Amino acid sequence: MTNPANTPHSSDSVILLIHCPDRRGLIAAVTEFITKNQGNIIYLDQYVDPIKNIFFMRIEWELNNFLIPREKIGEYFDTLLAQRFNMKWKLYFSQQIPRMAIFVSKLPHCLYDVLSRWKSGEFRVEIPLIISNHQALRPVAEQFGIDFHYFPITKENKREQEEKELHLLEKHRIDFIVLARYMQILTDEFVQVYPNKIINIHHSFLPAFPGARPYHSAYERGVKVIGATSHYVTAELDQGPIIEQDVVRVSHTDTVDDFIRKGRDLEKIVLSRAIWWHLQRKTLVYENKTIVFT
Amino acid sequence: MTNPANTPHSSDSVILLIHCPDRRGLIAAVTEFITKNQGNIIYLDQYVDPIKNIFFMRIEWELNNFLIPREKIGEYFDTLLAQRFNMKWKLYFSQQIPRMAIFVSKLPHCLYDVLSRWKSGEFRVEIPLIISNHQALRPVAEQFGIDFHYFPITKENKREQEEKELHLLEKHRIDFIVLARYMQILTDEFVQVYPNKIINIHHSFLPAFPGARPYHSAYERGVKVIGATSHYVTAELDQGPIIEQDVVRVSHTDTVDDFIRKGRDLEKIVLSRAIWWHLQRKTLVYENKTIVFT
Amino acid sequence: MTNPANTPHSSDSVILLIHCPDRRGLIAAVTEFITKNQGNIIYLDQYVDPIKNIFFMRIEWELNNFLIPREKIGEYFDTLLAQRFNMKWKLYFSQQIPRMAIFVSKLPHCLYDVLSRWKSGEFRVEIPLIISNHQALRPVAEQFGIDFHYFPITKENKREQEEKELHLLEKHRIDFIVLARYMQILTDEFVQVYPNKIINIHHSFLPAFPGARPYHSAYERGVKVIGATSHYVTAELDQGPIIEQDVVRVSHTDTVDDFIRKGRDLEKIVLSRAIWWHLQRKTLVYENKTIVFT
Amino acid sequence: MTNPANTPHSSDSVILLIHCPDRRGLIAAVTEFITKNQGNIIYLDQYVDPIKNIFFMRIEWELNNFLIPREKIGEYFDTLLAQRFNMKWKLYFSQQIPRMAIFVSKLPHCLYDVLSRWKSGEFRVEIPLIISNHQALRPVAEQFGIDFHYFPITKENKREQEEKELHLLEKHRIDFIVLARYMQILTDEFVQVYPNKIINIHHSFLPAFPGARPYHSAYERGVKVIGATSHYVTAELDQGPIIEQDVVRVSHTDTVDDFIRKGRDLEKIVLSRAIWWHLQRKTLVYENKTIVFT
């Protein structure tokens, strides 16, 4: 649904995410490209992985007065710079609002949190639909006026249902997916359609306690701190590139229910930070790590 | 070495740690025992494990005016209460200063931190000796005027050296041991001599990254938070009851060396909190968990 | 509104909050009173202020089998113990669901958060009404099916409007009030009707930055951490007893808008923890401090 | 004293800190200057204050192969770039080890911590001397083999003593000063000799609780979190640009002594982070704020 709180982005700018083998002169070359064409740089962050020797950059500049027309920027950049330096790159225009789908099961807290942020204009995003393998959260979707699609999953129908989901996502031109405590494992086939575009929240401090019932395992182990992790989903369960993690203290007096209660707040915060950075185009995945420009 | 900064504890009190099957009337029975004999309770904390149905208590009272003589308190408590309620219990007198040995290898930061706290009177403890499998930290021991004993360890001589260490520890009437980044695994035989009396600091957020080189593994995994864990040593490596954990944020810009540098501060803090609680007799181990009364 | 998610509390218990001058035998006396009458204690926490020499206690016991009938417990406790020990005390029955009013102005994040927690059954509370000096959040109230009352406030009509609000609160038998970013200062007359029963969230780390626009002041000062504080409202602005505080890191790259965005998450968490403790009857105010039993 | 643990810095590089009015092309101009002269950039971070419209940059490049000789870099940069863009700038060579003086009074914890980090090679710095207005910590200085100078301060002799201190600092070519819980206020005259070169640690979360006895004030106010702040010293007490802050939770059960004990750990950590960043030339003061490049 389009959110009336989504005011047009104040500036008309373009964001460029780059990575390539490091070599001398990369920053100078990129900034020259922008400056010579009258672009005003409003954000620049770069990072060199000192082991893999890879250069990463996020740069944003204003488009008013920029000499290269909007629809030609990619082509020019590719020809003049990317091919020469062997760069992988992506362009995002600030005025284009991303489109997000939410997958949920039965737990409402992350869904409420994401929708509240969207509704109050904190997340500049469109949310055309919510998908679930249960009916439980349909009322929440309705409360916020968003279409709710029910796809019950069994071992037998999983691929079939996923195909229908993919069809629906494509139809709504979904850019990325948020698993807001979605309690189903997506198949590799599904994941490959949205590489580094599915954000999950796992209710533990990965790599501790992957898989099911992490709060119960944490309780059994007697930890003094519990955590939550948001990561991009890959083929291997709970092994994808981590976007954000945080923790909260627990003590011997906390029961598993207390772990779950305290964990809910963490999950909400950690997931929402990941979504925020993704929406700002501040994340860049390389191999199994997420660079988060801040 | 005796520390001149160790002034006598202001109050002359006794600490009782108890656990037993939970039943009605335990608190009333214990507090009556103390109150009727003119003891003034200055600390009481209790906790019931709701799953195992075990009652835990830490209670401290002043000894001036207490009607039962100091050396008889244990006997009376055992006869009048412990046997009746099937209690396990321990008594500690505030005026008795615990005796601690420190085991180290080559890294100085935890050793410096522990000795500084001891020297400035923060830790009320005696430290008769430091044991190491390397000579590297002998100058630090000398700087603080503490005996340093060198026991190089090989696969062949391990048990033999441990026997000598145990002999030395016994000779110095050591109450508990701190492994301040000691890079050797103690044998079960050694550990069994000091059950729940050996405090280790592990440089990860257990159960994530047990074993060797946790900072390297954390870096590989691309975590956004690193941690440290102090725990009592048991037969199984890095599996003992956790006393304290804490974490610090890292980002993609942090190298393994940065992880190590940030981790050092964590290790110092987390280890020192564990030692502090142990010295205050605020820890009580039951099965594989540590209750930390606060 | 009554929340269908509010299942009856699992146990039928009673909570007693006490404070009185400290003296020997208080714990024994209270626990005896309960135990002798067949009450099973399921929570006990006590604390002695070592400077003011005041004893504080929170004790909870199950009512099944308790020999004193529910409606007589207060009377008996008062006669047998409270008068003797000069105790101030309060009794709360676990099966009685508290009734809360929410005051808001224009910012929706805390309101959304509180209502989501209520709606999903995390807060066991009834919310008969929302009061506001603006119309802005009426749609949120409607989204959650709660009555919304609009009381615009001017310098001239303040006392008059407050009188109407008080009338409404009384009519709905409101137990306590949450100011979820309510941007009006309540008069002393209003506050005195709900002593230690109005919970505010202030968007700074009090006592730093009291009053208006704390994020702007924090930005001006160049702090590296911002905070939020929830406290009971007293006559003096932002001076009431603190229930909870927490912080989040900021850096020179964060603008005032970033402070506000990061602060929103803090405000939600800190306010909700305060409400949670208040609902659990775990807070006890003495002079200008809040004891939070945990 | 020179520390044998100070190995030569692995790379031979130069660090440039710049600020100037923002305009198009600054990054391109600076990176071109370096790249065209065969410098390999190993660090670049820049930031534009969006309100004051000031551009800030920290850039570091390797000197091997750099075409401009070391001693001419400043001159060339000034002529070719700084004058044109109205830049303020500073150059630091990685191979030049900074010289630090420590001022202390009676509390040893920060001193121990700083000296331990220096001794174990964590801080790459020379510490020619420690200055104190008390004799209490002379043994700590001696333990680490550093000259200790005693300057007792009275109202009458303050300026005179400071003059002697300044003479001593100059004689030892001190680059910057760390006040490790130095309990004297320096005069403006003294401070002006070391602008943004005196690092203080204040034991509160500024601007809360400036001045004396902040832990006592925090206890009185009933806060739930205490903090520590390191900042550059300016003429106005506790008002200088903040470098780092951090906090730790406290509860009603913590006494003032517990605040002090918990605070000590904070003070050590917060001060050492500030020193670390200062040593890395990662701090840049503008008006009353500290930019900390990370």
Side-chain angles (χ1 to χ4, degrees):
Chain A
M1 198 191 101
T2 302
N3 185 354
N6 279 338
T7 49
H9 198 280
S10 53
S11 75
D12 181 11
S13 64
V14 60
I15 295 157
L16 179 61
L17 289 172
I18 306 170
H19 66 91
C20 63
D22 189 33
R23 45 175 285 190
R24 193 173 294 172
L26 286 167
I27 298 169
V30 176
T31 55
E32 262 188 75
F33 168 80
I34 296 164
T35 306
K36 288 209 171 149
N37 292 297
Q38 311 290 337
N40 186 36
I41 296 168
I42 53 177
Y43 180 98
L44 180 156
D45 198 5
Q46 55 85 45
Y47 160 69
V48 176
D49 183 313
I51 292 171
K52 296 171 184 155
N53 219 34
I54 304 291
F55 171 86
F56 299 91
M57 188 181 219
R58 182 187 184 278
I59 191 162
E60 181 172 3
W61 67 96
E62 289 171 332
L63 285 177
N64 26 336
N65 304 324
F66 195 55
L67 298 179
I68 307 171
R70 183 181 303 255
E71 64 282 2
K72 291 286 186 184
I73 297 173
E75 183 192 321
Y76 277 49
F77 181 78
D78 196 65
T79 307
L80 298 174
L81 284 170
Q83 293 181 17
R84 178 169 141 223
F85 292 112
N86 200 16
M87 287 170 173
K88 308 270 187 226
W89 58 273
K90 276 184 193 163
L91 272 187
Y92 299 99
F93 292 92
S94 67
Q95 295 196 334
Q96 191 174 329
I97 300 179
R99 297 170 65 80
M100 170 173 98
I102 307 175
F103 281 49
V104 292
S105 290
K106 292 177 171 176
L107 295 172
H109 56 285
C110 284
L111 181 60
Y112 266 124
D113 195 60
V114 170
L115 295 182
S116 303
R117 290 169 193 271
W118 164 74
K119 192 78 177 182
S120 50
E122 181 176 330
F123 284 164
R124 196 164 159 271
V125 69
E126 304 212 346
I127 307 179
L129 77 166
I130 293 168
I131 285 176
S132 183
N133 58 333
H134 291 282
Q135 293 281 21
L137 300 180
R138 182 181 292 276
V140 181
E142 287 170 354
Q143 207 186 334
F144 285 83
I146 298 181
D147 285 350
F148 183 89
H149 299 265
Y150 171 48
F151 290 95
I153 309 278
T154 63
K155 225 181 269 183
E156 292 70 33
N157 76 358
K158 187 166 201 165
R159 281 303 298 139
E160 189 187 337
Q161 293 289 67
E162 283 193 350
E163 282 306 321
K164 288 183 194 163
E165 290 168 357
L166 285 168
H167 184 74
L168 196 63
L169 295 170
E170 195 187 7
K171 189 181 125 196
H172 284 91
R173 293 166 293 117
I174 292 301
D175 294 307
F176 74 107
I177 296 165
V178 166
L179 309 183
R181 298 297 310 272
Y182 182 61
M183 296 283 109
Q184 277 286 328
I185 297 169
L186 299 170
T187 65
D188 292 6
E189 290 80 4
F190 188 104
V191 171
Q192 280 163 23
V193 181
Y194 291 93
N196 300 325
K197 289 179 176 173
I198 307 174
I199 299 173
N200 186 37
I201 178 72
H202 182 75
H203 42 313
S204 87
F205 184 95
L206 290 174
F209 312 120
R213 294 169 67 83
Y215 291 131
H216 290 76
S217 305
Y219 180 81
E220 281 310 306
R221 181 62 187 89
V223 297
K224 299 300 185 187
V225 183
I226 56 170
T229 303
S230 70
H231 62 92
Y232 288 112
V233 175
T234 56
E236 230 177 319
L237 184 65
D238 296 333
Q239 298 291 316
I242 294 171
I243 307 168
E244 171 65 345
Q245 300 187 291
D246 214 336
V247 302
V248 70
R249 296 188 75 82
V250 290
S251 84
H252 65 274
T253 63
D254 287 310
T255 61
V256 171
D257 282 349
D258 292 321
F259 279 36
I260 291 170
R261 175 176 56 84
K262 291 183 168 187
R264 271 196 299 256
D265 281 0
L266 264 187
E267 295 163 29
K268 285 155 61 173
I269 295 285
V270 169
L271 177 59
S272 84
R273 285 189 199 141
I275 295 173
W276 169 262
W277 284 322
H278 186 91
L279 287 173
Q280 305 299 308
R281 317 302 192 180
K282 291 204 161 173
T283 60
L284 195 164
V285 172
Y286 184 75
E287 294 183 352
N288 205 40
K289 292 190 188 181
T290 311
I291 290 162
V292 181
F293 296 105
T294 50
Chain B
M1 200 191 98
T2 301
N3 186 353
N6 279 339
T7 49
H9 197 281
S10 53
S11 74
D12 181 12
S13 64
V14 60
I15 295 157
L16 178 63
L17 289 172
I18 306 169
H19 66 90
C20 63
D22 189 32
R23 45 175 284 190
R24 194 172 294 170
L26 286 166
I27 298 169
V30 175
T31 55
E32 260 188 74
F33 168 78
I34 296 164
T35 305
K36 287 206 172 152
N37 292 297
Q38 310 291 336
N40 186 35
I41 296 168
I42 54 177
Y43 180 97
L44 181 156
D45 198 3
Q46 56 84 44
Y47 160 69
V48 177
D49 184 314
I51 292 170
K52 296 170 184 157
N53 220 34
I54 304 290
F55 172 86
F56 300 91
M57 189 182 219
R58 183 188 186 277
I59 191 161
E60 182 173 4
W61 66 97
E62 290 170 333
L63 286 178
N64 27 337
N65 304 323
F66 195 54
L67 298 180
I68 306 171
R70 184 180 303 252
E71 65 280 4
K72 290 286 185 183
I73 297 173
E75 183 193 320
Y76 278 47
F77 181 78
D78 196 63
T79 306
L80 298 174
L81 285 170
Q83 292 180 18
R84 178 169 140 221
F85 292 113
N86 201 16
M87 287 170 172
K88 309 269 188 225
W89 57 274
K90 276 184 193 163
L91 272 187
Y92 300 98
F93 293 92
S94 67
Q95 295 196 334
Q96 190 176 328
I97 300 180
R99 297 170 66 81
M100 171 173 99
I102 307 175
F103 281 50
V104 293
S105 292
K106 292 179 171 174
L107 295 171
H109 57 285
C110 284
L111 180 61
Y112 265 126
D113 195 59
V114 171
L115 294 182
S116 304
R117 289 169 194 271
W118 164 74
K119 192 79 177 179
S120 51
E122 181 176 329
F123 284 165
R124 198 165 159 271
V125 69
E126 304 211 348
I127 307 179
L129 77 166
I130 294 168
I131 285 176
S132 183
N133 58 333
H134 291 282
Q135 292 281 23
L137 299 181
R138 181 182 292 277
V140 181
E142 286 170 355
Q143 208 184 335
F144 285 83
I146 299 181
D147 285 351
F148 184 88
H149 298 265
Y150 172 48
F151 291 94
I153 309 278
T154 63
K155 226 180 267 181
E156 291 69 32
N157 76 358
K158 186 166 202 162
R159 280 302 297 139
E160 189 187 337
Q161 293 288 66
E162 283 193 351
E163 283 305 322
K164 288 183 195 162
E165 290 167 358
L166 285 169
H167 184 73
L168 197 63
L169 295 170
E170 196 187 4
K171 190 181 125 196
H172 284 90
R173 293 165 293 118
I174 292 300
D175 293 309
F176 74 105
I177 296 166
V178 167
L179 309 183
R181 298 297 310 271
Y182 181 62
M183 296 281 111
Q184 278 287 327
I185 297 169
L186 299 170
T187 65
D188 292 7
E189 290 79 3
F190 188 104
V191 171
Q192 279 163 24
V193 181
Y194 290 94
N196 299 324
K197 289 178 176 173
I198 306 174
I199 299 174
N200 186 37
I201 178 70
H202 181 76
H203 42 313
S204 87
F205 184 94
L206 290 174
F209 312 120
R213 295 168 66 84
Y215 291 131
H216 291 77
S217 305
Y219 180 81
E220 281 311 306
R221 180 61 186 91
V223 297
K224 298 300 184 187
V225 183
I226 56 170
T229 304
S230 70
H231 62 93
Y232 288 112
V233 175
T234 56
E236 230 178 320
L237 183 65
D238 296 334
Q239 298 292 315
I242 294 170
I243 307 168
E244 172 63 346
Q245 301 188 291
D246 214 337
V247 302
V248 70
R249 296 188 74 83
V250 291
S251 84
H252 64 274
T253 63
D254 288 309
T255 61
V256 172
D257 282 349
D258 292 321
F259 279 37
I260 291 169
R261 174 175 56 83
K262 291 184 168 188
R264 272 196 298 256
D265 281 0
L266 265 187
E267 294 163 29
K268 286 155 60 173
I269 294 284
V270 169
L271 177 59
S272 84
R273 285 188 199 142
I275 296 173
W276 168 263
W277 284 322
H278 186 90
L279 287 173
Q280 305 299 307
R281 317 301 191 179
K282 291 205 163 173
T283 60
L284 195 164
V285 172
Y286 183 76
E287 293 182 352
N288 206 40
K289 293 191 188 180
T290 311
I291 290 162
V292 181
F293 295 106
T294 51
Chain C
M1 199 191 100
T2 302
N3 186 354
N6 279 339
T7 50
H9 198 279
S10 54
S11 74
D12 182 9
S13 63
V14 61
I15 295 157
L16 178 62
L17 290 172
I18 305 170
H19 65 91
C20 63
D22 190 31
R23 47 176 282 190
R24 196 172 291 168
L26 287 166
I27 299 169
V30 175
T31 55
E32 261 187 74
F33 168 79
I34 296 164
T35 306
K36 287 208 171 149
N37 291 298
Q38 311 290 336
N40 187 35
I41 296 168
I42 54 177
Y43 180 97
L44 182 156
D45 199 2
Q46 56 83 44
Y47 160 69
V48 176
D49 184 316
I51 292 171
K52 297 172 185 156
N53 219 34
I54 303 290
F55 172 86
F56 299 93
M57 188 182 220
R58 182 188 185 276
I59 191 161
E60 180 172 6
W61 68 96
E62 290 170 334
L63 285 178
N64 28 334
N65 304 323
F66 194 56
L67 298 179
I68 306 171
R70 182 181 304 254
E71 65 281 3
K72 291 283 184 184
I73 297 173
E75 182 192 319
Y76 278 48
F77 181 78
D78 195 64
T79 306
L80 297 174
L81 285 169
Q83 294 180 15
R84 179 171 139 217
F85 291 112
N86 200 14
M87 288 168 171
K88 308 269 187 223
W89 57 273
K90 277 184 192 165
L91 272 187
Y92 299 99
F93 292 92
S94 68
Q95 295 196 334
Q96 191 175 328
I97 301 180
R99 297 169 67 80
M100 171 173 98
I102 307 176
F103 280 50
V104 293
S105 291
K106 292 178 172 174
L107 295 171
H109 57 284
C110 284
L111 180 61
Y112 265 126
D113 195 59
V114 171
L115 294 182
S116 303
R117 290 169 193 271
W118 164 74
K119 191 78 175 183
S120 52
E122 183 177 328
F123 284 163
R124 196 164 158 274
V125 68
E126 303 211 349
I127 307 179
L129 78 166
I130 293 168
I131 285 176
S132 183
N133 58 333
H134 292 282
Q135 292 281 22
L137 300 181
R138 182 181 291 277
V140 181
E142 285 170 355
Q143 210 186 332
F144 285 83
I146 298 182
D147 285 350
F148 183 90
H149 298 264
Y150 172 49
F151 290 94
I153 309 276
T154 62
K155 226 180 269 182
E156 291 70 33
N157 74 359
K158 188 165 200 164
R159 280 303 298 139
E160 187 188 341
Q161 292 290 64
E162 282 193 350
E163 282 306 319
K164 288 183 195 163
E165 290 168 358
L166 285 169
H167 184 75
L168 197 62
L169 296 170
E170 196 188 5
K171 189 181 125 196
H172 284 90
R173 293 167 291 119
I174 292 302
D175 294 308
F176 73 105
I177 296 165
V178 167
L179 309 183
R181 298 297 311 271
Y182 181 62
M183 297 281 112
Q184 277 286 329
I185 297 170
L186 299 171
T187 63
D188 292 5
E189 290 79 4
F190 188 106
V191 172
Q192 279 163 23
V193 181
Y194 289 93
N196 299 324
K197 288 179 175 171
I198 306 174
I199 300 174
N200 186 39
I201 178 71
H202 182 75
H203 42 312
S204 87
F205 183 96
L206 291 174
F209 310 121
R213 296 168 67 86
Y215 292 131
H216 292 76
S217 305
Y219 180 81
E220 281 310 306
R221 180 61 186 91
V223 298
K224 299 300 185 186
V225 183
I226 55 170
T229 304
S230 70
H231 62 94
Y232 288 112
V233 175
T234 56
E236 229 178 320
L237 183 65
D238 296 333
Q239 298 291 317
I242 294 171
I243 308 169
E244 171 66 345
Q245 299 186 292
D246 214 338
V247 303
V248 69
R249 295 188 74 81
V250 291
S251 84
H252 65 274
T253 64
D254 287 308
T255 61
V256 172
D257 281 349
D258 293 321
F259 279 36
I260 292 170
R261 176 176 55 84
K262 291 183 169 188
R264 272 196 297 258
D265 281 1
L266 265 188
E267 295 163 29
K268 285 156 62 174
I269 295 283
V270 168
L271 177 59
S272 83
R273 284 188 198 142
I275 296 173
W276 168 263
W277 284 321
H278 185 91
L279 287 173
Q280 305 299 306
R281 317 299 192 180
K282 290 204 164 176
T283 58
L284 195 164
V285 172
Y286 184 76
E287 293 181 352
N288 205 40
K289 292 190 188 181
T290 311
I291 290 162
V292 181
F293 296 106
T294 50
Chain D
M1 200 190 100
T2 301
N3 185 355
N6 279 339
T7 49
H9 197 281
S10 53
S11 75
D12 181 11
S13 63
V14 61
I15 296 157
L16 179 62
L17 289 173
I18 305 170
H19 65 91
C20 64
D22 190 33
R23 47 177 282 190
R24 195 172 292 170
L26 287 166
I27 299 169
V30 176
T31 55
E32 261 188 75
F33 168 79
I34 296 164
T35 306
K36 287 208 172 149
N37 291 298
Q38 310 291 335
N40 188 34
I41 296 167
I42 54 178
Y43 180 98
L44 182 155
D45 199 3
Q46 56 82 46
Y47 160 69
V48 176
D49 184 314
I51 292 170
K52 297 171 184 156
N53 220 33
I54 303 290
F55 172 86
F56 299 92
M57 188 182 219
R58 182 189 185 276
I59 191 161
E60 180 173 7
W61 66 97
E62 290 170 333
L63 285 177
N64 29 335
N65 304 322
F66 194 56
L67 298 179
I68 306 172
R70 184 181 302 253
E71 65 281 3
K72 291 284 185 185
I73 297 174
E75 181 193 322
Y76 278 48
F77 181 78
D78 195 65
T79 307
L80 297 174
L81 285 170
Q83 293 179 16
R84 178 170 140 220
F85 291 112
N86 200 15
M87 288 169 171
K88 308 269 185 224
W89 57 273
K90 277 184 193 163
L91 272 187
Y92 300 99
F93 292 92
S94 68
Q95 295 196 334
Q96 190 175 328
I97 301 180
R99 298 169 65 80
M100 171 173 98
I102 307 176
F103 280 49
V104 293
S105 291
K106 293 178 171 176
L107 294 172
H109 57 284
C110 284
L111 180 61
Y112 265 126
D113 195 59
V114 171
L115 294 182
S116 303
R117 290 169 193 270
W118 164 74
K119 192 78 176 179
S120 52
E122 183 177 327
F123 284 164
R124 197 166 159 273
V125 69
E126 305 212 346
I127 307 179
L129 77 165
I130 294 169
I131 285 176
S132 184
N133 58 333
H134 292 281
Q135 291 281 22
L137 300 180
R138 182 181 291 277
V140 180
E142 285 170 356
Q143 208 186 335
F144 284 84
I146 298 181
D147 286 350
F148 183 90
H149 299 264
Y150 172 49
F151 290 94
I153 309 276
T154 62
K155 227 181 267 182
E156 290 70 32
N157 75 358
K158 187 164 199 162
R159 280 303 298 139
E160 187 188 338
Q161 293 290 64
E162 281 194 351
E163 282 306 320
K164 288 183 194 162
E165 290 168 357
L166 284 169
H167 184 74
L168 197 62
L169 296 169
E170 196 189 5
K171 189 182 127 197
H172 284 90
R173 292 166 291 118
I174 292 303
D175 293 309
F176 73 107
I177 297 165
V178 167
L179 309 184
R181 297 298 310 272
Y182 180 61
M183 296 282 112
Q184 277 287 330
I185 297 170
L186 299 171
T187 64
D188 291 6
E189 289 80 4
F190 188 105
V191 171
Q192 279 164 24
V193 181
Y194 290 94
N196 300 325
K197 287 179 175 174
I198 307 174
I199 300 174
N200 186 38
I201 178 72
H202 181 76
H203 42 312
S204 87
F205 183 95
L206 290 174
F209 310 120
R213 296 167 68 82
Y215 291 131
H216 291 77
S217 306
Y219 180 81
E220 281 309 306
R221 179 63 186 91
V223 297
K224 298 302 185 186
V225 183
I226 55 170
T229 303
S230 70
H231 62 93
Y232 288 112
V233 175
T234 56
E236 230 179 320
L237 184 65
D238 296 332
Q239 297 292 316
I242 294 171
I243 309 169
E244 172 66 344
Q245 300 186 291
D246 213 337
V247 301
V248 69
R249 296 187 75 81
V250 290
S251 84
H252 65 275
T253 64
D254 288 309
T255 60
V256 171
D257 282 348
D258 292 321
F259 279 36
I260 291 170
R261 176 176 55 84
K262 291 183 168 187
R264 272 196 297 258
D265 281 1
L266 264 188
E267 294 164 29
K268 285 155 61 173
I269 294 284
V270 168
L271 177 59
S272 83
R273 285 187 199 142
I275 296 173
W276 168 263
W277 283 322
H278 186 90
L279 287 173
Q280 305 299 307
R281 319 299 192 178
K282 291 205 162 173
T283 58
L284 195 164
V285 172
Y286 184 76
E287 292 181 353
N288 205 40
K289 292 191 189 182
T290 311
I291 291 162
V292 181
F293 296 106
T294 50

